[in-house]
Amino acid sequence: ADLGQGIQIGQVVIRPFVDVSETYDSNIYRTDESAMEDNYFDGLIGLDGNYSSVDVNLSALGFLGTRKYSDEADLDFNYGGDVVKLRYGARERIVVEASQSFRRVTDIDRYGSAATVSGVSPDSALDVSSSSRHDVNQAALSVGRNLTDKVELDLGYRFDDVNYDRDDIVDINSHYGQAENAYKFTDKAAAFATLKYGRQEGTGDNASADYTAGRLGLKTVQTDKLSFKGGAGVQQFNPEVGEDKTAF
């Protein structure tokens, strides 16, 4: 439940929200044999705020949640975090976007995609779907400008850090840089090319690697709230020990 359009105070909009659910899980330990079933309650409360002016848009999201199992109390956990995003300027001159996020995750990362900014592809986010508790710290910065009425350029940097509460799972931090150039062939459609380089560092053996990627695609803007972006490319993951791994 939420308050719809929220509470407006001048140029600030505040929207509290609550999400509760009861779920039946036929295999709570996610095993291949001797599956055990249970019910669990999920409760989440949060606050979403936004400030807008001519050149500035600032949004902040904070949330806290808990999961309680009916029988297997050892699986209970709490979670929470924040996502803060700032956008300044206009593409006709220059637009700067920045984001910061901390999230404690034990199951589905509900707000992982909310921490992305323009010019930095969301596929730079690390594995945040593990059932083991981990803390995710992320920060990103991007700069974009319309070079002409048809040519767009976006440059971005992203930092990701994931720390698990178990010693047998590798903690990872990574740095990614990305450049994307787009050419508009209609008012609502454009072709784009993306290049990315990243460096990943982790605990344990064979945990450091370089990452490169290139992609070509199309993007369209139908309305203020509806857009489409799709492409295809190649990426290469090069660990310091072992063979290179290339994917399409």
Side-chain angles (χ1 to χ4, degrees):
D2 58 50
L3 295 183
Q5 297 299 317
I7 304 167
Q8 185 162 355
I9 306 172
Q11 294 172 292
V12 177
V13 177
I14 300 173
R15 188 174 66 92
F17 58 90
V18 177
D19 188 353
V20 295
S21 63
E22 183 75 21
T23 303
Y24 165 76
D25 191 338
S26 62
N27 188 2
I28 57 174
Y29 288 103
R30 303 178 186 180
T31 58
D32 295 331
E33 299 178 356
S34 303
M36 182 177 294
E37 61 183 23
D38 200 354
N39 296 300
Y40 61 82
F41 166 83
D42 238 323
L44 171 73
I45 60 172
L47 190 66
D48 188 2
N50 181 269
Y51 166 83
S52 293
S53 66
V54 175
D55 284 332
V56 177
N57 184 276
L58 174 64
S59 63
L61 168 72
F63 62 96
L64 291 171
T66 187
R67 178 175 295 184
K68 301 293 184 183
Y69 284 80
S70 298
D71 299 322
E72 298 298 306
D74 58 318
L75 294 181
D76 293 352
F77 61 84
N78 300 317
Y79 56 95
D82 72 89
V83 179
V84 180
K85 299 174 69 173
L86 173 66
R87 178 185 174 98
Y88 175 79
R91 293 196 63 89
E92 291 72 20
R93 306 187 305 274
I94 192 170
V95 61
V96 179
E97 291 189 60
S99 74
Q100 173 277 328
S101 178
F102 167 81
R103 302 181 307 281
R104 173 156 291 181
V105 182
T106 307
D107 194 2
I108 297 173
D109 187 9
R110 298 178 181 233
Y111 300 104
S113 61
T116 62
V117 296
S118 298
V120 188
S121 174
D123 64 6
S124 63
L126 300 174
D127 176 19
V128 286
S129 60
S130 170
S131 59
S132 180
R133 196 190 81 185
H134 50 288
D135 292 339
V136 182
N137 286 282
Q138 296 176 313
L141 178 68
S142 74
V143 179
R145 190 173 187 269
N146 293 343
L147 302 180
T148 70
D149 59 346
K150 292 185 176 296
V151 179
E152 302 174 350
L153 178 64
D154 289 279
L155 303 174
Y157 164 79
R158 183 179 189 87
F159 171 76
D160 298 298
D161 182 78
V162 179
N163 291 284
Y164 289 85
D165 67 341
R166 289 171 47 183
D167 294 335
D168 59 336
I169 301 180
V170 175
D171 297 334
I172 296 176
N173 68 72
S174 58
H175 303 266
Y176 291 92
Q178 178 175 299
E180 183 169 293
N181 189 241
Y183 178 80
K184 297 176 66 175
F185 50 86
T186 71
D187 290 341
K188 294 185 177 181
F192 69 88
T194 305
L195 295 175
K196 180 191 289 187
Y197 171 77
R199 175 67 179 175
Q200 186 180 88
E201 301 285 348
T203 57
D205 297 332
N206 198 24
S208 300
D210 293 317
Y211 167 84
T212 56
R215 182 173 60 212
L216 299 174
L218 298 173
K219 60 181 181 179
T220 64
V221 178
Q222 303 300 322
T223 68
D224 292 340
K225 295 183 178 181
L226 178 63
S227 63
F228 169 81
K229 184 176 183 179
V234 60
Q235 64 182 27
Q236 186 162 319
F237 190 73
N238 306 316
E240 290 187 347
V241 179
E243 299 182 354
D244 294 353
K245 298 183 179 180
T246 304
F248 294 87

